[in-house]
Amino acid sequence: MTACSLSGVSCLVTGASGFVGHRIVQMLLEEEPKLEELRVMDKNLSEDLLKTCQRFRDRTLVKTLQGDIRDTDFLHGSCRGVNLVFHTAAIIDTVGKVSKDVVMSINVTGTEQLLAACLQNNVQYFIYTSSIEVYGPNAQGDPIINGTEETVYDKKSAFCYGESKSLAEKKVLRANGQELQNGGTLITCSLRPAYIFGEGSQFLQIHLDQALLNGDVFHRLSRKEALVNPVYVGNVAWAHLLAARAIRDPEGTKKIAGNFYFITDDTPHMSYSDMNHALGKELGLKVESKLAMPLPILYIVASLMEMVSFVLRPFVRFVPPFTRHLLTILNTPFTFTYRKLQSDTGYKPRYSWEEARQMTSDWMVSVIPQRREHLRKNK
């Protein structure tokens, strides 16, 4: 399909310092030179984000906005004069590091308040960065192989993060078609990336640190047969840009208004642990051949650690290194296609698996010396 460019559009990216938000900002600056304005918003504006914005200062008007997604006055000021919002800001938590109240206030209430600010300030388009975790895996670990947006699944979330993203996504999609202050209409859609890898991934860095402490061997917490399809961060950003172009086109609006889409790419299906190995093997990094103990016993260990965490909570915050929920995520076959996204927005992965693997491995090479030094000092 032929999609509109974003020429003359004023865009706002929330969570702009984050892994996905920063990459969306970078892609907008590279691919849309005729933007009227780009506003980048985060509670903390990272040095890397500011450097990216600085590189394009002579071509695109970039406005930096530092504030909290829960601050309604700040949100109204940020949305005034904006045409299109990419909402990526969120707390990502898979092991219970952050209290449920905080996760819900940022991921759900923050989204709700941002939508209200968009309606009040006549923002026409709203693209939400959701997560595959709104779909599952469920507590039973029921698998999905090459699922689509029409796949029927008992997706009741067993964990706070997935629940928060699901609630926020429902608010976004229900807001589609609501009347703006000026009589126009708000158009929304939601994008659900699979597990995202690439340069700068905080999760990949955690796994890398653990491997360096383990004699350059990645720990195995997922069975080989638990196939998933991770997606490269550059392809996630590309999907957001194509959705933005499509949502402004009258034909595209008809297709994607009020809908959600899975974002995957052509990364080979493999387990999470084998994915780490695929990215690190040319660096000499290995992966454990099997789980440290049988999966049912790991679940028992996780359950005991969760009980200890609960008992200690009034006195000290103990965060288990892994939980039953995380074990379920890591050990459930869970793959999806991008056919619907391709059909409705023209999406095809911009980066091949080999390109994505090479760029990610190059980043790993660049950070290993400093990570070794950091780990040595903090022994």
Side-chain angles (χ1 to χ4, degrees):
M1 64 176 289
T2 301
C4 298
S5 75
L6 301 185
S7 176
V9 174
S10 177
C11 292
L12 168 66
V13 180
T14 74
S17 291
F19 182 39
V20 173
H22 184 191
R23 200 58 178 258
I24 291 173
V25 168
Q26 183 179 331
M27 187 156 285
L28 286 168
L29 291 171
E30 290 173 349
E31 300 294 327
E32 294 290 348
K34 295 185 179 180
L35 281 174
E36 179 177 319
E37 181 186 31
L38 177 59
R39 301 182 188 181
V40 297
M41 185 182 99
D42 211 309
K43 188 173 183 180
N44 297 297
L45 298 170
S46 70
E47 185 177 335
D48 286 344
L49 173 68
L50 296 175
K51 285 180 180 177
T52 297
C53 296
Q54 183 71 7
R55 278 193 305 149
F56 293 88
R57 69 186 186 280
D58 295 330
R59 191 173 78 173
T60 303
L61 175 60
V62 180
K63 185 175 182 180
T64 56
L65 304 167
Q66 187 164 0
D68 197 304
I69 193 72
R70 296 166 292 185
D71 182 337
T72 54
D73 290 339
F74 171 68
L75 292 180
H76 280 276
S78 300
C79 289
R80 198 167 295 121
V82 166
N83 307 109
L84 187 152
V85 167
F86 295 94
H87 179 35
T88 78
I91 289 286
I92 302 175
D93 181 28
T94 58
V95 292
K97 280 186 178 180
V98 185
S99 72
K100 183 172 182 176
D101 287 346
V102 172
V103 173
M104 289 293 177
S105 69
I106 292 173
N107 293 1
V108 183
T109 307
T111 299
E112 190 172 38
Q113 292 177 170
L114 181 60
L115 286 166
C118 288
L119 291 169
Q120 185 68 30
N121 291 281
N122 304 311
V123 177
Q124 298 166 276
Y125 308 104
F126 191 105
I127 297 174
Y128 178 60
T129 307
S130 186
S131 166
I132 200 169
E133 279 206 51
V134 308
Y135 217 65
N138 58 22
Q140 293 74 40
D142 295 325
I144 291 180
I145 307 298
N146 292 325
T148 70
E149 287 75 2
E150 287 72 42
T151 299
V152 177
Y153 188 74
D154 176 10
K155 55 187 178 182
K156 185 176 180 182
S157 175
F159 196 69
C160 176
Y161 172 67
E163 180 187 357
S164 74
K165 295 297 284 186
S166 179
L167 289 170
E169 183 184 79
K170 287 175 182 176
K171 291 180 183 296
V172 170
L173 298 183
R174 286 172 183 161
N176 181 67
Q178 288 190 15
E179 186 175 353
L180 303 174
Q181 189 71 17
N182 64 3
T185 301
L186 177 64
I187 307 299
T188 71
C189 74
S190 179
L191 303 178
R192 297 176 175 177
Y195 169 74
I196 308 169
F197 72 95
E199 314 92 286
S201 165
Q202 60 175 316
F203 295 109
L204 183 53
Q205 182 171 301
I206 290 170
H207 296 311
L208 180 59
D209 284 355
Q210 292 170 343
L212 297 177
L213 289 170
N214 192 42
D216 292 354
V217 179
F218 286 109
H219 289 292
R220 179 176 289 279
L221 276 176
S222 54
R223 301 169 298 161
K224 287 180 178 289
E225 59 268 29
L227 302 182
V228 293
N229 53 337
V231 57
Y232 177 59
V233 64
N235 288 327
V236 174
W238 180 237
H240 280 73
L241 177 56
L242 292 180
R245 289 173 175 174
I247 205 171
R248 296 184 61 248
D249 179 87
E251 290 303 312
T253 299
K254 291 177 186 176
K255 293 179 180 179
I256 61 182
N259 288 326
F260 66 85
Y261 297 88
F262 292 110
I263 309 177
T264 57
D265 56 20
D266 296 328
T267 299
H269 295 191
M270 63 187 96
S271 76
Y272 287 106
S273 294
D274 292 303
M275 176 68 180
N276 290 335
H277 184 224
L279 295 171
K281 61 184 177 182
E282 290 189 4
L283 287 58
L285 300 176
K286 298 179 174 142
V287 64
E288 294 170 344
S289 60
K290 59 183 181 179
L291 296 172
M293 57 188 74
L295 192 57
I297 296 178
L298 282 174
Y299 271 102
I300 292 172
V301 172
S303 180
L304 290 172
M305 288 193 296
E306 289 172 43
M307 289 174 60
V308 170
S309 176
F310 178 77
V311 170
L312 293 178
R313 191 166 299 163
F315 313 103
V316 64
R317 189 156 186 84
F318 165 63
V319 179
F322 59 90
T323 62
R324 288 170 295 170
H325 173 72
L326 184 58
L327 287 174
T328 300
I329 291 175
L330 296 176
N331 287 281
T332 301
F334 219 61
T335 63
F336 292 83
T337 76
Y338 58 78
R339 284 197 298 267
K340 185 171 174 60
L341 183 65
Q342 183 176 41
S343 172
D344 289 1
T345 71
Y347 169 82
K348 290 182 182 178
R350 177 155 186 179
Y351 302 93
S352 69
W353 157 240
E354 278 306 315
E355 290 171 322
R357 184 197 61 76
Q358 188 63 57
M359 287 185 285
T360 306
S361 295
D362 289 347
W363 168 75
M364 292 168 70
V365 168
S366 73
V367 300
I368 281 178
Q370 65 191 55
R371 296 314 301 167
R372 285 194 192 278
E373 181 63 16
H374 172 78
L375 294 169
R376 184 188 66 79
K377 288 181 177 178
N378 288 276
K379 273 188 177 179

PDB file of all heavy atoms in Angstrom, residues 114-144:
ATOM      1  N   LEU A 114      -2.762  10.656  29.365  1.00  0.00           N
ATOM      2  CA  LEU A 114      -2.236  11.107  28.079  1.00  0.00           C
ATOM      3  C   LEU A 114      -3.343  11.126  27.030  1.00  0.00           C
ATOM      4  O   LEU A 114      -3.428  12.065  26.219  1.00  0.00           O
ATOM      5  CB  LEU A 114      -1.092  10.192  27.634  1.00  0.00           C
ATOM      6  CG  LEU A 114      -0.417  10.546  26.308  1.00  0.00           C
ATOM      7  CD1 LEU A 114       0.204  11.946  26.348  1.00  0.00           C
ATOM      8  CD2 LEU A 114       0.651   9.502  25.960  1.00  0.00           C
ATOM      9  N   LEU A 115      -4.196  10.123  27.035  1.00  0.00           N
ATOM     10  CA  LEU A 115      -5.332  10.104  26.107  1.00  0.00           C
ATOM     11  C   LEU A 115      -6.251  11.307  26.354  1.00  0.00           C
ATOM     12  O   LEU A 115      -6.715  11.948  25.406  1.00  0.00           O
ATOM     13  CB  LEU A 115      -6.125   8.798  26.260  1.00  0.00           C
ATOM     14  CG  LEU A 115      -5.489   7.545  25.676  1.00  0.00           C
ATOM     15  CD1 LEU A 115      -6.193   6.290  26.190  1.00  0.00           C
ATOM     16  CD2 LEU A 115      -5.522   7.579  24.145  1.00  0.00           C
ATOM     17  N   ALA A 116      -6.492  11.613  27.612  1.00  0.00           N
ATOM     18  CA  ALA A 116      -7.345  12.764  27.938  1.00  0.00           C
ATOM     19  C   ALA A 116      -6.712  14.052  27.429  1.00  0.00           C
ATOM     20  O   ALA A 116      -7.409  14.938  26.897  1.00  0.00           O
ATOM     21  CB  ALA A 116      -7.565  12.828  29.447  1.00  0.00           C
ATOM     22  N   ALA A 117      -5.395  14.167  27.574  1.00  0.00           N
ATOM     23  CA  ALA A 117      -4.699  15.368  27.082  1.00  0.00           C
ATOM     24  C   ALA A 117      -4.784  15.450  25.562  1.00  0.00           C
ATOM     25  O   ALA A 117      -4.920  16.542  24.999  1.00  0.00           O
ATOM     26  CB  ALA A 117      -3.240  15.337  27.526  1.00  0.00           C
ATOM     27  N   CYS A 118      -4.718  14.307  24.882  1.00  0.00           N
ATOM     28  CA  CYS A 118      -4.839  14.296  23.424  1.00  0.00           C
ATOM     29  C   CYS A 118      -6.226  14.761  22.980  1.00  0.00           C
ATOM     30  O   CYS A 118      -6.359  15.559  22.042  1.00  0.00           O
ATOM     31  CB  CYS A 118      -4.572  12.888  22.888  1.00  0.00           C
ATOM     32  SG  CYS A 118      -2.839  12.378  22.976  1.00  0.00           S
ATOM     33  N   LEU A 119      -7.257  14.288  23.664  1.00  0.00           N
ATOM     34  CA  LEU A 119      -8.626  14.689  23.313  1.00  0.00           C
ATOM     35  C   LEU A 119      -8.820  16.192  23.551  1.00  0.00           C
ATOM     36  O   LEU A 119      -9.440  16.886  22.732  1.00  0.00           O
ATOM     37  CB  LEU A 119      -9.635  13.896  24.145  1.00  0.00           C
ATOM     38  CG  LEU A 119      -9.735  12.397  23.832  1.00  0.00           C
ATOM     39  CD1 LEU A 119     -10.570  11.689  24.898  1.00  0.00           C
ATOM     40  CD2 LEU A 119     -10.339  12.173  22.451  1.00  0.00           C
ATOM     41  N   GLN A 120      -8.286  16.687  24.646  1.00  0.00           N
ATOM     42  CA  GLN A 120      -8.452  18.092  24.995  1.00  0.00           C
ATOM     43  C   GLN A 120      -7.676  19.002  24.042  1.00  0.00           C
ATOM     44  O   GLN A 120      -8.097  20.128  23.758  1.00  0.00           O
ATOM     45  CB  GLN A 120      -7.981  18.323  26.433  1.00  0.00           C
ATOM     46  CG  GLN A 120      -8.220  19.718  26.965  1.00  0.00           C
ATOM     47  CD  GLN A 120      -9.702  20.037  27.155  1.00  0.00           C
ATOM     48  OE1 GLN A 120     -10.496  19.133  27.436  1.00  0.00           O
ATOM     49  NE2 GLN A 120     -10.073  21.307  26.995  1.00  0.00           N
ATOM     50  N   ASN A 121      -6.540  18.496  23.514  1.00  0.00           N
ATOM     51  CA  ASN A 121      -5.655  19.324  22.699  1.00  0.00           C
ATOM     52  C   ASN A 121      -5.682  18.964  21.211  1.00  0.00           C
ATOM     53  O   ASN A 121      -4.793  19.365  20.463  1.00  0.00           O
ATOM     54  CB  ASN A 121      -4.231  19.237  23.248  1.00  0.00           C
ATOM     55  CG  ASN A 121      -4.095  19.915  24.593  1.00  0.00           C
ATOM     56  OD1 ASN A 121      -3.989  21.137  24.680  1.00  0.00           O
ATOM     57  ND2 ASN A 121      -4.107  19.122  25.669  1.00  0.00           N
ATOM     58  N   ASN A 122      -6.695  18.196  20.825  1.00  0.00           N
ATOM     59  CA  ASN A 122      -6.967  17.925  19.398  1.00  0.00           C
ATOM     60  C   ASN A 122      -5.842  17.164  18.688  1.00  0.00           C
ATOM     61  O   ASN A 122      -5.528  17.429  17.520  1.00  0.00           O
ATOM     62  CB  ASN A 122      -7.263  19.238  18.652  1.00  0.00           C
ATOM     63  CG  ASN A 122      -8.402  20.013  19.278  1.00  0.00           C
ATOM     64  OD1 ASN A 122      -9.469  19.454  19.544  1.00  0.00           O
ATOM     65  ND2 ASN A 122      -8.187  21.288  19.560  1.00  0.00           N
ATOM     66  N   VAL A 123      -5.226  16.216  19.409  1.00  0.00           N
ATOM     67  CA  VAL A 123      -4.258  15.322  18.784  1.00  0.00           C
ATOM     68  C   VAL A 123      -5.034  14.288  17.982  1.00  0.00           C
ATOM     69  O   VAL A 123      -5.883  13.585  18.521  1.00  0.00           O
ATOM     70  CB  VAL A 123      -3.375  14.625  19.840  1.00  0.00           C
ATOM     71  CG1 VAL A 123      -2.424  13.642  19.178  1.00  0.00           C
ATOM     72  CG2 VAL A 123      -2.603  15.661  20.652  1.00  0.00           C
ATOM     73  N   GLN A 124      -4.730  14.169  16.685  1.00  0.00           N
ATOM     74  CA  GLN A 124      -5.549  13.330  15.812  1.00  0.00           C
ATOM     75  C   GLN A 124      -5.199  11.850  15.846  1.00  0.00           C
ATOM     76  O   GLN A 124      -6.067  10.997  15.663  1.00  0.00           O
ATOM     77  CB  GLN A 124      -5.411  13.827  14.367  1.00  0.00           C
ATOM     78  CG  GLN A 124      -5.900  15.238  14.131  1.00  0.00           C
ATOM     79  CD  GLN A 124      -5.428  15.763  12.784  1.00  0.00           C
ATOM     80  OE1 GLN A 124      -4.313  16.256  12.645  1.00  0.00           O
ATOM     81  NE2 GLN A 124      -6.265  15.632  11.789  1.00  0.00           N
ATOM     82  N   TYR A 125      -3.916  11.527  16.086  1.00  0.00           N
ATOM     83  CA  TYR A 125      -3.466  10.137  15.944  1.00  0.00           C
ATOM     84  C   TYR A 125      -2.660   9.706  17.164  1.00  0.00           C
ATOM     85  O   TYR A 125      -1.830  10.468  17.669  1.00  0.00           O
ATOM     86  CB  TYR A 125      -2.613   9.981  14.679  1.00  0.00           C
ATOM     87  CG  TYR A 125      -3.274  10.519  13.436  1.00  0.00           C
ATOM     88  CD1 TYR A 125      -2.872  11.733  12.882  1.00  0.00           C
ATOM     89  CD2 TYR A 125      -4.321   9.829  12.835  1.00  0.00           C
ATOM     90  CE1 TYR A 125      -3.485  12.240  11.743  1.00  0.00           C
ATOM     91  CE2 TYR A 125      -4.939  10.337  11.697  1.00  0.00           C
ATOM     92  CZ  TYR A 125      -4.521  11.535  11.154  1.00  0.00           C
ATOM     93  OH  TYR A 125      -5.135  12.041  10.041  1.00  0.00           O
ATOM     94  N   PHE A 126      -2.897   8.463  17.587  1.00  0.00           N
ATOM     95  CA  PHE A 126      -2.272   7.947  18.806  1.00  0.00           C
ATOM     96  C   PHE A 126      -1.841   6.507  18.547  1.00  0.00           C
ATOM     97  O   PHE A 126      -2.676   5.630  18.307  1.00  0.00           O
ATOM     98  CB  PHE A 126      -3.277   7.998  19.954  1.00  0.00           C
ATOM     99  CG  PHE A 126      -2.707   7.736  21.329  1.00  0.00           C
ATOM    100  CD1 PHE A 126      -2.512   8.778  22.219  1.00  0.00           C
ATOM    101  CD2 PHE A 126      -2.405   6.442  21.743  1.00  0.00           C
ATOM    102  CE1 PHE A 126      -2.018   8.546  23.505  1.00  0.00           C
ATOM    103  CE2 PHE A 126      -1.909   6.201  23.012  1.00  0.00           C
ATOM    104  CZ  PHE A 126      -1.712   7.255  23.903  1.00  0.00           C
ATOM    105  N   ILE A 127      -0.517   6.263  18.578  1.00  0.00           N
ATOM    106  CA  ILE A 127       0.023   4.914  18.350  1.00  0.00           C
ATOM    107  C   ILE A 127       0.648   4.434  19.652  1.00  0.00           C
ATOM    108  O   ILE A 127       1.569   5.060  20.185  1.00  0.00           O
ATOM    109  CB  ILE A 127       1.056   4.921  17.211  1.00  0.00           C
ATOM    110  CG1 ILE A 127       0.365   5.338  15.911  1.00  0.00           C
ATOM    111  CG2 ILE A 127       1.703   3.540  17.057  1.00  0.00           C
ATOM    112  CD1 ILE A 127       1.306   5.528  14.742  1.00  0.00           C
ATOM    113  N   TYR A 128       0.134   3.329  20.145  1.00  0.00           N
ATOM    114  CA  TYR A 128       0.539   2.810  21.451  1.00  0.00           C
ATOM    115  C   TYR A 128       1.502   1.636  21.296  1.00  0.00           C
ATOM    116  O   TYR A 128       1.248   0.696  20.533  1.00  0.00           O
ATOM    117  CB  TYR A 128      -0.700   2.349  22.224  1.00  0.00           C
ATOM    118  CG  TYR A 128      -0.402   1.742  23.572  1.00  0.00           C
ATOM    119  CD1 TYR A 128       0.243   2.476  24.553  1.00  0.00           C
ATOM    120  CD2 TYR A 128      -0.784   0.433  23.867  1.00  0.00           C
ATOM    121  CE1 TYR A 128       0.514   1.915  25.803  1.00  0.00           C
ATOM    122  CE2 TYR A 128      -0.526  -0.126  25.114  1.00  0.00           C
ATOM    123  CZ  TYR A 128       0.126   0.619  26.071  1.00  0.00           C
ATOM    124  OH  TYR A 128       0.393   0.072  27.297  1.00  0.00           O
ATOM    125  N   THR A 129       2.613   1.681  22.021  1.00  0.00           N
ATOM    126  CA  THR A 129       3.550   0.562  22.051  1.00  0.00           C
ATOM    127  C   THR A 129       3.118  -0.382  23.159  1.00  0.00           C
ATOM    128  O   THR A 129       3.348  -0.126  24.342  1.00  0.00           O
ATOM    129  CB  THR A 129       4.988   1.038  22.308  1.00  0.00           C
ATOM    130  OG1 THR A 129       5.322   2.054  21.363  1.00  0.00           O
ATOM    131  CG2 THR A 129       5.967  -0.125  22.175  1.00  0.00           C
ATOM    132  N   SER A 130       2.484  -1.461  22.769  1.00  0.00           N
ATOM    133  CA  SER A 130       1.992  -2.454  23.714  1.00  0.00           C
ATOM    134  C   SER A 130       3.060  -3.530  23.913  1.00  0.00           C
ATOM    135  O   SER A 130       4.257  -3.253  23.840  1.00  0.00           O
ATOM    136  CB  SER A 130       0.674  -3.042  23.189  1.00  0.00           C
ATOM    137  OG  SER A 130       0.087  -3.911  24.126  1.00  0.00           O
ATOM    138  N   SER A 131       2.667  -4.753  24.140  1.00  0.00           N
ATOM    139  CA  SER A 131       3.609  -5.839  24.387  1.00  0.00           C
ATOM    140  C   SER A 131       2.932  -7.167  24.087  1.00  0.00           C
ATOM    141  O   SER A 131       1.719  -7.318  24.268  1.00  0.00           O
ATOM    142  CB  SER A 131       4.065  -5.825  25.848  1.00  0.00           C
ATOM    143  OG  SER A 131       4.716  -7.028  26.193  1.00  0.00           O
ATOM    144  N   ILE A 132       3.725  -8.124  23.673  1.00  0.00           N
ATOM    145  CA  ILE A 132       3.191  -9.469  23.463  1.00  0.00           C
ATOM    146  C   ILE A 132       2.658 -10.048  24.766  1.00  0.00           C
ATOM    147  O   ILE A 132       1.821 -10.947  24.764  1.00  0.00           O
ATOM    148  CB  ILE A 132       4.285 -10.379  22.858  1.00  0.00           C
ATOM    149  CG1 ILE A 132       3.660 -11.600  22.183  1.00  0.00           C
ATOM    150  CG2 ILE A 132       5.312 -10.767  23.903  1.00  0.00           C
ATOM    151  CD1 ILE A 132       4.634 -12.388  21.351  1.00  0.00           C
ATOM    152  N   GLU A 133       3.109  -9.487  25.901  1.00  0.00           N
ATOM    153  CA  GLU A 133       2.663 -10.013  27.195  1.00  0.00           C
ATOM    154  C   GLU A 133       1.192  -9.721  27.499  1.00  0.00           C
ATOM    155  O   GLU A 133       0.634 -10.316  28.421  1.00  0.00           O
ATOM    156  CB  GLU A 133       3.550  -9.491  28.324  1.00  0.00           C
ATOM    157  CG  GLU A 133       4.844 -10.254  28.458  1.00  0.00           C
ATOM    158  CD  GLU A 133       5.414 -10.195  29.860  1.00  0.00           C
ATOM    159  OE1 GLU A 133       4.680 -10.480  30.824  1.00  0.00           O
ATOM    160  OE2 GLU A 133       6.592  -9.857  29.975  1.00  0.00           O
ATOM    161  N   VAL A 134       0.550  -8.840  26.748  1.00  0.00           N
ATOM    162  CA  VAL A 134      -0.891  -8.673  26.960  1.00  0.00           C
ATOM    163  C   VAL A 134      -1.626  -9.930  26.487  1.00  0.00           C
ATOM    164  O   VAL A 134      -2.773 -10.167  26.871  1.00  0.00           O
ATOM    165  CB  VAL A 134      -1.457  -7.424  26.232  1.00  0.00           C
ATOM    166  CG1 VAL A 134      -0.664  -6.193  26.585  1.00  0.00           C
ATOM    167  CG2 VAL A 134      -1.496  -7.609  24.724  1.00  0.00           C
ATOM    168  N   TYR A 135      -0.966 -10.718  25.655  1.00  0.00           N
ATOM    169  CA  TYR A 135      -1.563 -11.940  25.123  1.00  0.00           C
ATOM    170  C   TYR A 135      -1.163 -13.160  25.935  1.00  0.00           C
ATOM    171  O   TYR A 135      -1.900 -14.122  26.033  1.00  0.00           O
ATOM    172  CB  TYR A 135      -1.120 -12.110  23.666  1.00  0.00           C
ATOM    173  CG  TYR A 135      -2.195 -12.688  22.769  1.00  0.00           C
ATOM    174  CD1 TYR A 135      -3.361 -11.976  22.518  1.00  0.00           C
ATOM    175  CD2 TYR A 135      -2.050 -13.939  22.183  1.00  0.00           C
ATOM    176  CE1 TYR A 135      -4.355 -12.493  21.724  1.00  0.00           C
ATOM    177  CE2 TYR A 135      -3.027 -14.460  21.365  1.00  0.00           C
ATOM    178  CZ  TYR A 135      -4.182 -13.728  21.139  1.00  0.00           C
ATOM    179  OH  TYR A 135      -5.168 -14.250  20.337  1.00  0.00           O
ATOM    180  N   GLY A 136       0.031 -13.137  26.487  1.00  0.00           N
ATOM    181  CA  GLY A 136       0.490 -14.287  27.242  1.00  0.00           C
ATOM    182  C   GLY A 136       2.001 -14.374  27.233  1.00  0.00           C
ATOM    183  O   GLY A 136       2.668 -13.391  26.925  1.00  0.00           O
ATOM    184  N   PRO A 137       2.541 -15.548  27.571  1.00  0.00           N
ATOM    185  CA  PRO A 137       1.849 -16.801  27.841  1.00  0.00           C
ATOM    186  C   PRO A 137       1.011 -16.736  29.125  1.00  0.00           C
ATOM    187  O   PRO A 137       1.310 -15.976  30.036  1.00  0.00           O
ATOM    188  CB  PRO A 137       2.994 -17.815  28.020  1.00  0.00           C
ATOM    189  CG  PRO A 137       4.196 -17.175  27.439  1.00  0.00           C
ATOM    190  CD  PRO A 137       4.005 -15.707  27.618  1.00  0.00           C
ATOM    191  N   ASN A 138      -0.029 -17.581  29.172  1.00  0.00           N
ATOM    192  CA  ASN A 138      -0.849 -17.640  30.368  1.00  0.00           C
ATOM    193  C   ASN A 138      -0.173 -18.508  31.423  1.00  0.00           C
ATOM    194  O   ASN A 138       0.881 -19.105  31.186  1.00  0.00           O
ATOM    195  CB  ASN A 138      -2.260 -18.132  30.046  1.00  0.00           C
ATOM    196  CG  ASN A 138      -2.264 -19.515  29.385  1.00  0.00           C
ATOM    197  OD1 ASN A 138      -1.306 -20.286  29.520  1.00  0.00           O
ATOM    198  ND2 ASN A 138      -3.332 -19.834  28.682  1.00  0.00           N
ATOM    199  N   ALA A 139      -0.770 -18.568  32.605  1.00  0.00           N
ATOM    200  CA  ALA A 139      -0.148 -19.273  33.727  1.00  0.00           C
ATOM    201  C   ALA A 139       0.016 -20.764  33.451  1.00  0.00           C
ATOM    202  O   ALA A 139       0.900 -21.411  34.020  1.00  0.00           O
ATOM    203  CB  ALA A 139      -0.984 -19.062  34.992  1.00  0.00           C
ATOM    204  N   GLN A 140      -0.821 -21.316  32.564  1.00  0.00           N
ATOM    205  CA  GLN A 140      -0.730 -22.731  32.229  1.00  0.00           C
ATOM    206  C   GLN A 140       0.383 -23.024  31.220  1.00  0.00           C
ATOM    207  O   GLN A 140       0.712 -24.173  30.966  1.00  0.00           O
ATOM    208  CB  GLN A 140      -2.063 -23.238  31.650  1.00  0.00           C
ATOM    209  CG  GLN A 140      -3.225 -23.245  32.636  1.00  0.00           C
ATOM    210  CD  GLN A 140      -3.749 -21.853  32.931  1.00  0.00           C
ATOM    211  OE1 GLN A 140      -3.856 -21.019  32.034  1.00  0.00           O
ATOM    212  NE2 GLN A 140      -4.044 -21.593  34.193  1.00  0.00           N
ATOM    213  N   GLY A 141       0.935 -21.954  30.611  1.00  0.00           N
ATOM    214  CA  GLY A 141       1.967 -22.152  29.614  1.00  0.00           C
ATOM    215  C   GLY A 141       1.445 -22.756  28.322  1.00  0.00           C
ATOM    216  O   GLY A 141       2.160 -23.496  27.639  1.00  0.00           O
ATOM    217  N   ASP A 142       0.205 -22.431  27.956  1.00  0.00           N
ATOM    218  CA  ASP A 142      -0.349 -22.935  26.695  1.00  0.00           C
ATOM    219  C   ASP A 142       0.414 -22.317  25.528  1.00  0.00           C
ATOM    220  O   ASP A 142       0.565 -21.087  25.458  1.00  0.00           O
ATOM    221  CB  ASP A 142      -1.831 -22.579  26.578  1.00  0.00           C
ATOM    222  CG  ASP A 142      -2.674 -23.269  27.637  1.00  0.00           C
ATOM    223  OD1 ASP A 142      -2.342 -24.427  27.977  1.00  0.00           O
ATOM    224  OD2 ASP A 142      -3.639 -22.666  28.124  1.00  0.00           O
ATOM    225  N   PRO A 143       0.900 -23.127  24.586  1.00  0.00           N
ATOM    226  CA  PRO A 143       1.725 -22.596  23.498  1.00  0.00           C
ATOM    227  C   PRO A 143       0.909 -21.977  22.371  1.00  0.00           C
ATOM    228  O   PRO A 143      -0.283 -22.287  22.210  1.00  0.00           O
ATOM    229  CB  PRO A 143       2.468 -23.837  22.991  1.00  0.00           C
ATOM    230  CG  PRO A 143       1.508 -24.955  23.264  1.00  0.00           C
ATOM    231  CD  PRO A 143       0.795 -24.588  24.532  1.00  0.00           C
ATOM    232  N   ILE A 144       1.552 -21.106  21.615  1.00  0.00           N
ATOM    233  CA  ILE A 144       1.009 -20.596  20.348  1.00  0.00           C
ATOM    234  C   ILE A 144       2.128 -20.690  19.321  1.00  0.00           C
ATOM    235  O   ILE A 144       3.253 -20.254  19.571  1.00  0.00           O
ATOM    236  CB  ILE A 144       0.532 -19.137  20.460  1.00  0.00           C
ATOM    237  CG1 ILE A 144      -0.712 -19.034  21.333  1.00  0.00           C
ATOM    238  CG2 ILE A 144       0.240 -18.558  19.075  1.00  0.00           C
ATOM    239  CD1 ILE A 144      -1.250 -17.620  21.482  1.00  0.00           C
TER     240      ILE A 144
END
